[in-house]
């Protein structure tokens, strides 16, 4: 009886470490390949958009601030094409943002990313949106500013730390745009 019990007992399966290590190395290589392809796609998109002129910088004296806001910059797209991200000149980089609106235009200060300035005469429209460049928020959760740069219309998306500010920004920007277009039309 003791001999039959000993014959029935089997030792535990030995772990095949070579196979596990092989799978792990394969997975790491696959993830590295996907990351590399995404990076190359980003660089390729930047090359396709290389005709976009350099971004304007803020003039020395922009005048007194009408509005200021801190929040997040979610990216820029071709106007009306909320998934067509613009990556040239750092416009595709999401970051913190400090916005300041003056009579001269909109100053976009982004710590850790390229700052830029949107002159008042290039502003076209401001509206409340819900998504831009792959970022989707609740209805009215995004301040979208449309502006002209070179021969291209661009939508830039911003989200304030205090979303209640968005409506005031839309109203002020659109009033400013309407006043400047009436002034240009009268000349």
């Amino acid at each position: 009886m003791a001999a039959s019990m000993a014959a029935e007992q089997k030792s535990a399966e030995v772990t095949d470490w070579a196979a596990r290590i092989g799978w792990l190395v394969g997975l790491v290589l696959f993830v590295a390949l996907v990351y590399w392809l995404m990076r190359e796609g980003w660089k390729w998109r930047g090359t396709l958009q290389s005709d976009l002129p350099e971004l304007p910088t803020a003039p020395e004296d922009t005048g007194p601030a009408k509005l200021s806001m801190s929040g997040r910059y979610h990216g820029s797209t071709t106007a009306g094409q909320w998934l067509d991200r613009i990556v040239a000149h750092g416009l595709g980089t999401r970051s913190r943002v400090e916005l300041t609106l003056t009579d001269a235009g909109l100053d976009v200060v982004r710590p850790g990313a390229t700052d830029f300035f949107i002159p008042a005469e290039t502003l076209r429209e401001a509206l409340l949106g819900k998504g831009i460049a792959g970022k989707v928020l609740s209805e009215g959760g995004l301040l979208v500013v449309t502006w002209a740069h070179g021969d291209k219309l661009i939508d830039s998306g911003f989200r304030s730390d205090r979303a209640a500010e968005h409506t005031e920004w839309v109203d002020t920007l659109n009033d400013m745009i309407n006043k400047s277009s009436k002034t240009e039309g009268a000349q």
Side-chain angles (χ1 to χ4, degrees):
M1 181 159 192
S4 67
M5 287 180 102
E8 290 177 19
Q9 291 181 350
K10 293 185 180 181
S11 61
E13 291 291 323
V14 177
T15 304
D16 186 2
W17 286 104
R20 285 191 181 193
I21 291 171
W23 276 103
L24 184 62
V25 168
L27 181 63
V28 167
L29 288 174
F30 176 74
V31 169
L33 174 67
V34 169
Y35 175 76
W36 180 78
L37 288 171
M38 288 171 47
R39 188 170 151 264
E40 290 300 308
W42 188 269
K43 287 173 25 181
W44 176 70
R45 183 174 276 277
T47 302
L48 288 177
Q49 298 167 349
S50 63
D51 62 335
L52 195 67
E54 286 294 321
L55 297 173
T57 56
E60 289 294 322
D61 183 29
T62 58
K66 290 182 172 193
L67 291 173
S68 62
M69 170 177 86
S70 64
R72 294 213 46 91
Y73 169 77
H74 285 288
S76 292
T77 63
T78 303
Q81 305 290 323
W82 73 283
L83 289 175
D84 185 21
R85 182 188 295 262
I86 296 175
V87 301
H89 308 300
L91 286 175
T93 306
R94 290 186 176 151
S95 61
R96 292 285 304 159
V97 70
E98 296 289 330
L99 291 179
T100 307
L101 179 64
T102 65
D103 286 328
L106 183 62
D107 191 16
V108 182
V109 178
R110 302 185 306 151
T114 307
D115 299 341
F116 60 97
F117 183 76
I118 304 172
E121 61 273 6
T122 65
L123 290 168
R124 297 296 181 257
E125 181 184 20
L127 53 92
L128 295 177
K130 65 177 181 177
I132 194 163
K135 180 69 174 179
V136 179
L137 301 163
S138 61
E139 189 66 44
L142 196 65
L143 170 65
V144 179
V145 178
T146 303
W147 54 291
H149 185 56
D151 61 348
K152 186 173 226 153
L153 281 179
I154 297 174
D155 286 342
S156 293
F158 306 95
R159 180 168 173 83
S160 173
D161 290 335
R162 294 170 299 283
E165 294 178 326
H166 290 171
T167 304
E168 181 182 10
W169 273 83
V170 168
D171 294 342
T172 305
L173 279 163
N174 285 328
D175 286 345
M176 197 170 136
I177 293 165
N178 290 336
K179 286 178 185 173
S180 70
S181 65
K182 286 179 185 175
T183 307
E184 289 173 10
Q187 292 178 355

